[in-house]
Amino acid sequence: MLFIILTAAVILGAAVCFASMNENQNLSLEEYTVVSAKLPEEFDGFKIVFLTDLHCNEFDYQNKALIDMIDGCSPDAVFVGGDMLVSRVDSSYEVALDLMRELSRRYRIYYADGNHEMRLKRNEEVYGVAYKEYVHQLKECGVVHLSNESIMVDSGISAICLTAYDMEEKQYRKFHPAPPSLEEMSDALGDADPEFFQVLLAHNPNYFRQYSKWGCDLVLSGHFHGGMVRLPKIGGVISPQFQLFPKYDAGEYQIGTSIMILSRGLGNHSIKIRLFNRPEVSCITLKKK
Ligand SMILES: [Fe+2]
């Protein structure tokens, strides 16, 4: 009996590994349309490709399949939501940098940090100057790297406001994470200007309600990797913060007039399992109401 159970467990484990390896390379394009009366006329039809959580994954040699998919969207800009690398002492960041270099030859790129970049930044005694070098290389190739700051993304005539939120370590804790207060958000980012369509790059989707109160029209998040395994009608099973069946796992959410698009991300680290949860390129079209 024990032999049968062990054999079944080995076969199941092998099947999960095989399916997961396959899925980790099986890109999916998800298209979203965000409609708002606040958008300027010139942004009607503006296309954003949103990339997050690559964790140095590669889709074909030098990410050719990923770049081809992005090219197929013909974006006006590429927004990056962080965690493009893995914060390990022995990790190389070249895969992420190579992708950014290649994309920056074709598109405007705006980059916000995730918890992995922030870990490098906060722990120089462990990672040395890796973060400084990484950001330096990003800037060298023309990527606009944003750290608790805002920039106007313009069309030549009008603009929308893009803000990148450097989330604190306590907001990423596995147990008892602390939501940012409105005051903390305002201290870090200033106040949202209601005159402009406001996009917020906030890596962790957990605090959508706070982001909405702060005044964003569109939040772009990642971090949850779609909940690792996605079950039909239930969704993601577990977040990296060990929340079971997280409220926000993937897709589009709305609170009042704020929309959040939560990508399943492009890669993973530590536990490299994806089931029914293909890596995502998000293509977002803005529509003037
Ligand atoms: Fe993350």
Side-chain angles (χ1 to χ4, degrees):
M1 186 63 180
L2 182 64
F3 176 74
I4 294 171
I5 293 170
L6 284 175
T7 307
V10 169
I11 290 171
L12 183 66
V16 167
C17 285
F18 180 75
S20 197
M21 277 166 58
N22 213 24
E23 216 160 299
N24 278 328
Q25 291 300 310
N26 197 358
L27 269 176
S28 165
L29 178 68
E30 302 296 337
E31 299 195 68
Y32 303 90
T33 302
V34 173
V35 181
S36 172
K38 277 176 77 178
L39 281 163
E41 293 287 349
E42 295 75 27
F43 278 81
D44 188 27
F46 191 89
K47 261 192 195 175
I48 299 162
V49 159
F50 176 56
L51 307 174
T52 185
D53 299 278
L54 181 70
H55 292 297
C56 282
N57 196 12
E58 271 187 290
F59 298 89
D60 289 349
Y61 180 63
Q62 292 189 333
N63 264 318
K64 185 177 181 312
L66 175 56
I67 292 166
D68 284 351
M69 186 172 276
I70 295 164
D71 286 345
C73 300
S74 302
D76 296 287
V78 174
F79 291 179
V80 179
D83 276 11
M84 300 301 272
L85 43 72
V86 180
S87 56
R88 282 201 201 103
V89 176
D90 56 351
S91 277
S92 158
Y93 317 129
E94 280 309 309
V95 170
L97 282 173
D98 285 347
L99 177 67
M100 291 299 112
R101 277 191 203 105
E102 193 55 38
L103 291 176
S104 64
R105 292 194 185 105
R106 309 158 197 226
Y107 308 111
R108 290 191 270 176
I109 304 184
Y110 301 90
Y111 190 115
D113 290 339
N115 51 310
H116 281 251
E117 288 93 347
M118 291 303 294
R119 199 175 294 139
L120 297 186
K121 184 179 185 177
R122 291 191 183 112
N123 298 289
E124 261 193 26
E125 71 284 6
V126 178
Y127 302 104
V129 293
Y131 178 81
K132 283 179 182 156
E133 277 179 11
Y134 181 69
V135 171
H136 174 74
Q137 293 292 329
L138 287 176
K139 289 180 178 172
E140 280 285 290
C141 62
V143 170
V144 179
H145 178 265
L146 299 167
S147 175
N148 271 348
E149 56 195 318
S150 300
I151 195 167
M152 302 311 281
V153 177
D154 71 272
S155 67
I157 301 168
S158 55
I160 60 175
C161 186
L162 174 66
T163 301
Y165 187 21
D166 284 357
M167 307 193 66
E168 293 180 39
E169 216 159 341
K170 63 182 180 179
Q171 290 146 13
Y172 288 113
R173 278 199 299 245
K174 288 191 169 50
F175 302 101
H176 310 296
S181 67
L182 204 51
E183 197 182 357
E184 282 173 316
M185 284 194 71
S186 291
D187 284 350
L189 305 174
D191 293 324
D193 185 341
E195 288 294 305
F196 290 95
F197 183 82
Q198 174 70 58
V199 183
L200 180 69
L201 295 173
H203 186 66
N204 189 334
N206 254 341
Y207 313 115
F208 179 31
R209 192 160 291 281
Q210 280 86 333
Y211 308 152
S212 172
K213 282 184 193 159
W214 176 74
C216 59
D217 298 295
L218 174 63
V219 186
L220 301 177
S221 289
H223 186 50
F224 277 14
H225 304 171
M228 197 185 306
V229 175
R230 297 188 62 78
L231 301 176
K233 296 191 177 166
I234 294 174
V237 170
I238 190 165
S239 79
Q241 292 177 242
F242 295 163
Q243 295 158 273
L244 288 172
F245 307 106
K247 178 178 176 185
Y248 303 121
D249 57 354
E252 189 172 334
Y253 301 88
Q254 181 158 10
I255 295 176
T257 55
S258 305
I259 304 280
M260 177 167 75
I261 292 174
L262 170 53
S263 168
R264 299 189 302 272
L266 288 158
N268 45 32
H269 57 96
S270 309
I271 305 168
K272 300 200 171 201
I273 291 177
R274 270 184 187 267
L275 277 182
F276 318 114
N277 181 21
R278 291 167 64 191
E280 169 175 342
V281 170
S282 317
C283 183
I284 301 154
T285 305
L286 304 181
K287 280 268 168 215
K288 168 84 178 161
K289 195 172 187 176

